[in-house]
Amino acid sequence: MPKYYGCPCEGCGQPLTLRDDIVVCPDCGAPYHRTCYEKLGRCIHSPAHAAGYEWKFPYQENELRTCPSCGERTLRSEEHCRCCGAKLPPEGAEQPNDRAEEEQNFDYASFYRQFEEGNVPDPLKEAYQAAFGKEEQMDGISCKDWNAYIGRSAPSYMTTYSRMELTHSKIAMSFSALLFGPFYFFYRKAWKPAFGFLFAELLLSAPYFIDMLQITGSSLSPGLSNSALLMLSRVCSFLGFLLMVLRGMYGKWLYRKSAAARIRRIQNEFPDAEQRRAVLSAQGGTSLAAVFGSLALLFVLGSAFTLLLGPNMQALLDIVSG
């Protein structure tokens, strides 16, 4: 479990929440609000550091329970979660042994319909309010407009964005963006990152294209030695791996920024709420056609590249077949 959320700040004694900027003493591990630590100028336990003092988690396991809104551990003796501020339901209202039966009987159609209508069920509503305020606005856009634009995946994305907002982080792992690259962004209609990552992938494939030009004896082939081409290939492979990792870590954040820009444009054009959400639903969501369109674009670019190859195509065919 997180070591500091819900614990009292060693400076002011107030609980450390998911929204706080937390700093930790590098010598003993005591947690503080950043403002408290800067005001004190040092750790209050610094006189004991030389003797080997180490801060210890102040609560026993039997004093804690899991908050259903944020998933963090908080004191069972309090009515509100010390981590996110959400009101805690009575203990025993949901028994762990009943989870499988509840999940089996859960009405997903009704759940998604509530999101489409903007009626976010608890405890998600409390989590959204903890993250985005009572108005439930993210990046200046209402929760209802976000739900209309994202579509059926809105519960998952909005929960992720709530966690990102509470932890002041832009990182949320997206395995779809990690594995499928630019096609993830085409699928989610995030055009700027889609074309940006597609261009980067093509650019990092330059050693492969140069090698094909040299093999076929093209007059456009740059005069690179084998050792220089090998070094360029290794550098591009490393950059490609780094790009893949960054894409997976920041994919959902990039989608959020792209979606917010499109939603704002639609809001300016359609001030009427009902009409606006109809347009958001039509222009948002996902698109398999965009994925197939990007594949067709790659096919056209590949065909155009073959026009640049030299006359010695047989050498290339021998390498491919052999």
Side-chain angles (χ1 to χ4, degrees):
M1 64 182 225
K3 191 175 183 180
Y4 304 110
Y5 295 140
C7 297
C9 168
E10 293 294 287
C12 66
Q14 295 299 313
L16 297 168
T17 72
L18 292 169
R19 287 170 286 180
D20 290 329
D21 187 4
I22 300 173
V23 296
V24 178
C25 173
D27 295 312
C28 67
Y32 297 84
H33 295 104
R34 182 176 294 277
T35 53
C36 294
Y37 189 81
E38 292 175 349
K39 183 177 180 180
L40 292 169
R42 62 185 181 89
C43 176
I44 63 173
H45 303 294
S46 56
H49 288 168
Y53 171 80
E54 292 185 5
W55 179 85
K56 298 186 183 303
F57 189 74
Y59 306 118
Q60 299 295 322
E61 181 61 29
N62 59 6
E63 300 179 83
L64 303 173
R65 60 180 296 194
T66 300
C67 171
S69 296
C70 67
E72 307 295 352
R73 301 289 277 166
T74 187
L75 286 177
R76 64 172 68 244
S77 59
E78 299 191 1
E79 294 184 355
H80 293 82
C81 174
R82 294 167 68 92
C83 304
C84 69
K87 184 176 178 58
L88 296 171
E91 286 196 83
E94 178 182 324
Q95 296 297 329
N97 292 336
D98 296 335
R99 287 184 182 270
E101 182 179 353
E102 291 178 2
E103 291 175 0
Q104 183 178 0
N105 298 326
F106 189 78
D107 187 356
Y108 285 96
S110 174
F111 180 74
Y112 286 121
R113 185 166 58 253
Q114 289 183 71
F115 263 88
E116 291 169 0
E117 295 171 354
N119 301 320
V120 183
D122 293 330
L124 293 179
K125 187 177 182 67
E126 294 178 353
Y128 292 171
Q129 289 181 347
F132 308 118
K134 294 296 183 182
E135 296 80 10
E136 296 182 43
Q137 288 196 343
M138 179 174 66
D139 301 332
I141 300 169
S142 69
C143 181
K144 292 182 179 180
D145 284 354
W146 276 107
N147 293 334
Y149 184 84
I150 297 176
R152 291 184 63 85
S153 299
S156 173
Y157 277 91
M158 295 298 286
T159 301
T160 298
Y161 292 150
S162 295
R163 177 64 64 106
M164 292 168 67
E165 192 73 14
L166 289 169
T167 57
H168 307 289
S169 174
K170 298 178 181 178
I171 298 175
M173 181 57 67
S174 170
F175 290 101
S176 297
L178 180 76
L179 298 175
F180 299 110
F183 303 114
Y184 162 78
F185 297 101
F186 280 110
Y187 181 67
R188 298 237 55 109
K189 301 183 181 180
W191 308 122
K192 285 186 178 181
F195 283 105
F197 280 114
L198 185 63
F199 176 76
E201 294 283 356
L202 293 174
L203 190 63
L204 292 174
S205 300
Y208 171 74
F209 297 137
I210 293 173
D211 190 34
M212 292 179 65
L213 292 173
Q214 290 183 343
I215 291 172
T216 58
S218 172
S219 60
L220 299 176
S221 174
L224 290 178
S225 63
N226 290 336
S227 59
L229 185 59
L230 178 61
M231 180 60 67
L232 179 62
S233 177
R234 289 176 176 174
V235 171
C236 288
S237 295
F238 172 76
L239 293 177
F241 174 77
L242 183 62
L243 182 69
M244 180 182 68
V245 173
L246 292 175
R247 190 173 60 225
M249 293 172 62
Y250 292 95
K252 289 187 176 181
W253 178 76
L254 290 171
Y255 171 60
R256 170 179 169 177
K257 292 302 175 185
S258 176
R262 294 193 69 194
I263 294 172
R264 291 193 191 97
R265 286 198 297 269
I266 294 172
Q267 285 178 330
N268 293 332
E269 295 177 12
F270 300 93
D272 179 72
E274 185 175 351
Q275 186 181 20
R276 179 175 68 250
R277 287 181 188 128
V279 175
L280 288 170
S281 298
Q283 296 193 15
T286 58
S287 174
L288 281 174
V291 176
F292 289 119
S294 63
L295 291 172
L297 175 63
L298 288 176
F299 178 78
V300 171
L301 292 175
S303 299
F305 174 75
T306 60
L307 300 176
L308 305 178
L309 298 177
N312 191 12
M313 294 294 294
Q314 187 59 45
L316 182 62
L317 293 174
D318 291 341
I319 293 175
V320 173
S321 61

